[in-house]
Amino acid sequence: EVQLVESGGGLVQAGGSLRLSCATSGFTFDDYAIGWFRQAPGKELEGVSCITASGGSTYYADSVKGRFTISSDNAKNTVYLQMNSLKSEDTAVYYCRADKAQLVAGCSKMNRPLGYTWYAYRGQGTQVTVSS
């Protein structure tokens, strides 16, 4: 059974940092692309960042470039999202989603409309709240 479990969310002041984790199981981690998406109240799900577990590619939305860093620990089948210089507009529920890198062409679908639909497996989400 495929499982993705997010953790690390919380309440932080603007300018602060958080590190999100996406612990995965039930699939061959090295073959997958894992993306972080977020949904703010009243808004569509937005692709934030992505990594192929093989290390071939990464993706960052323009809104987070230079502030967020995605990484993977293949020994732990876990993907991390280090979020620095947080802003109030980063407030959202953050989800990780995954699918076979070959099927989704790595991270190439992240910035497409409804890009999240390409990644079949998802976690339950973790809330990030940035106070200004």
Side-chain angles (χ1 to χ4, degrees):
E1 179 187 6
V2 172
Q3 287 191 321
L4 291 86
V5 180
E6 302 96 334
S7 61
L11 174 63
V12 65
Q13 288 188 333
S17 298
L18 285 173
R19 188 176 80 155
L20 305 184
S21 299
C22 174
T24 75
S25 61
F27 58 83
T28 305
F29 187 76
D30 289 0
D31 293 341
Y32 275 63
I34 297 94
W36 284 99
F37 297 81
R38 66 186 181 186
Q39 188 166 29
K43 294 190 175 181
E44 294 287 328
L45 206 59
E46 172 193 16
V48 175
S49 186
C50 173
I51 189 167
T52 53
S54 64
S57 65
T58 57
Y59 164 86
Y60 295 96
D62 287 343
S63 58
V64 306
K65 279 181 183 176
R67 300 189 298 122
F68 291 10
T69 303
I70 194 168
S71 62
S72 67
D73 184 335
N74 290 35
K76 295 183 178 179
N77 293 347
T78 299
V79 170
Y80 303 99
L81 187 67
Q82 178 66 44
M83 307 187 297
N84 298 329
S85 303
L86 283 162
K87 306 175 181 179
S88 57
E89 51 263 44
D90 295 318
T91 294
V93 179
Y94 284 70
Y95 301 91
C96 61
R97 298 184 75 111
D99 214 316
K100 289 185 177 180
Q102 190 174 21
L103 287 177
V104 298
C107 297
S108 67
K109 305 292 192 292
M110 288 294 293
N111 61 350
R112 294 193 178 187
L114 301 178
Y116 65 92
T117 60
W118 286 88
Y119 300 83
Y121 305 109
R122 58 165 281 185
Q124 81 289 351
T126 186
Q127 176 71 47
V128 171
T129 303
V130 183
S131 62
S132 56

